[in-house]
Amino acid sequence: MNVARHSRCLSLQLVAGLLVALGCRESAKPSAAAAQHAAGDTSTRSIGAPSEVVIARPSQPYVVEAVATPGTVTGTISTSAPIAAGPPQPTGRDSALCGATIPDLSVTQQGNALGGVVVWLDGARRGKALPLERRLELESTDCKLSPRVQAAVTSSAVNVLGHDPFRQHLRFLAAGEREPRASILLGRDEQVIPTERPFSTPGLVVVKDVDHPWPTAYIAVFDHPYFAVTAPNGTFTIDGVPPGKYVVRGWHERTGKTERAVEVGEGGTTRVDLVVSAK
C-alpha cells in the first residue's frame, strides 16, 4: 500500500470512529426518524409534549435564607374512586422482545390512595437551601421507562440508562416550548448517557420515544426545594417551610391539576388531604 492510500484509509477510519461515538451521545437535533414520525409537523406536540403548562416559570428568583421556625406540610392524595388502567399498547415489530402488549403504567394505587403525584408549594420564593443531591436516573428496561415520575431542582442532571436491545430516540419535552429540551439516542448495547439540559428552567418535562408510542416518563423541575412525589400509599411530606401562606398544588397524568390554599404556622404541621378524580 502506498503512502497516499494508507493516509486516506486512516482518515476514513477516524471519521467512522467519530460518527459512531457521536451516535451514542446526546443529540441536539431531531433525528431523521423523528422527522419522519412527525409527518411534517415540527412541533413537539406531535410526539406527546404536554399541552398545558403545569409548572410555570416564576417571576422572581428563589432566595436561600435561614428559616428560624420552619413548619411542615404533610398529607395524602387519594381518588374519589379507583382509576381504571388504560388499554394495553401493542408492541408491533418489537413483540418478540417486549411481548405482544405493554400494560398501562400511568396509575399506582393502594386502595384509593394515589402514588406518583407531584406536589409542591406555589409561592415559595424564600427558604431552605436546595438539595445537594442533584443526580437522577432514568432507565429503559424491559421495554419501559422507570421511574415513571420524578422531581428535581434546576441545575440537576439525569443519567439515562439503556438496557433494552433496540434503538430508541428519547425526547425531553415541555409545554410551550417548540424544541425538545434534550434528545437522547439509545443504541442496542448497554449505555449510560448523562444530560443536564432538561433542568435548565422550571417546568413539567415528559420523556417520549419517537419510534415507540408506549415509553413515557415525567420529570418535574423546580427552582425551589418545596416539592415531593407521593408514595404508592398517597402520602407526601414537605418540610423546612417558612411560616406563611401558600397554595399546595398537585398534578398527576390521569387527574390533572389540583390545589388548596394553606397557612403554615411556626414550627407546626399543616395537614393537607386532597381527593382527585380521573379526567
Side-chain angles (χ1 to χ4, degrees):
M1 180 183 296
N2 60 40
V3 173
R5 184 178 179 185
H6 180 68
S7 177
R8 286 196 300 272
C9 289
L10 286 176
S11 298
L12 289 173
Q13 290 172 356
L14 288 172
V15 171
L18 179 61
L19 289 174
V20 170
L22 289 175
C24 295
R25 295 183 178 181
E26 180 182 351
S27 172
K29 296 181 179 180
S31 66
Q36 182 178 5
H37 180 86
D41 183 359
T42 58
S43 70
T44 57
R45 183 78 64 85
S46 64
I47 48 177
S51 58
E52 180 183 18
V53 175
V54 174
I55 301 170
R57 298 184 183 185
S59 58
Q60 298 177 341
Y62 179 74
V63 177
V64 175
E65 64 180 19
V67 183
T69 54
T72 299
V73 178
T74 187
T76 60
I77 308 293
S78 59
T79 58
S80 54
I83 300 176
Q89 295 190 336
T91 58
R93 65 180 184 275
D94 294 304
S95 59
L97 297 171
C98 303
T101 60
I102 297 291
D104 176 50
L105 302 173
S106 65
V107 180
T108 300
Q109 285 200 274
Q110 293 181 2
N112 283 7
L114 184 59
V117 181
V118 182
V119 183
W120 69 99
L121 298 186
D122 197 19
R125 294 291 83 205
R126 293 178 176 272
K128 67 180 183 179
L130 301 180
L132 295 177
E133 179 55 48
R134 301 187 187 184
R135 178 73 61 172
L136 283 68
E137 288 190 350
L138 179 64
E139 292 190 88
S140 174
T141 182
D142 297 328
C143 303
K144 307 173 186 70
L145 291 177
S146 178
R148 180 83 171 190
V149 183
Q150 300 185 81
V153 294
T154 51
S155 300
S156 294
V158 58
N159 288 334
V160 182
L161 287 70
H163 304 297
D164 289 317
F166 53 80
R167 292 171 66 88
Q168 297 180 78
H169 298 82
L170 300 181
R171 300 291 183 265
F172 292 72
L173 313 163
E177 298 178 12
R178 184 74 178 173
E179 299 294 331
R181 290 194 177 189
S183 300
I184 297 290
L185 173 62
L186 293 178
R188 297 176 179 273
D189 301 321
E190 293 278 337
Q191 291 178 294
V192 179
I193 302 177
T195 179
E196 299 176 352
R197 293 181 180 178
F199 308 92
S200 57
T201 58
L204 178 66
V205 178
V206 60
V207 186
K208 301 290 288 187
D209 180 7
V210 173
D211 297 330
H212 304 88
W214 64 85
T216 302
Y218 296 91
I219 301 175
V221 182
F222 299 95
D223 70 338
H224 62 81
Y226 297 111
F227 60 85
V229 176
T230 59
N233 64 357
T235 61
F236 71 91
T237 297
I238 301 174
D239 60 18
V241 182
K245 295 181 179 181
Y246 304 93
V247 175
V248 176
R249 298 191 187 277
W251 176 88
H252 187 273
E253 59 182 296
R254 294 289 301 276
T255 65
K257 295 190 298 184
T258 187
E259 64 180 50
R260 179 180 295 175
V262 298
E263 184 169 0
V264 179
E266 295 183 358
T269 298
T270 302
R271 180 85 186 184
V272 178
D273 295 310
L274 297 175
V275 179
V276 297
S277 301
K279 290 185 175 181

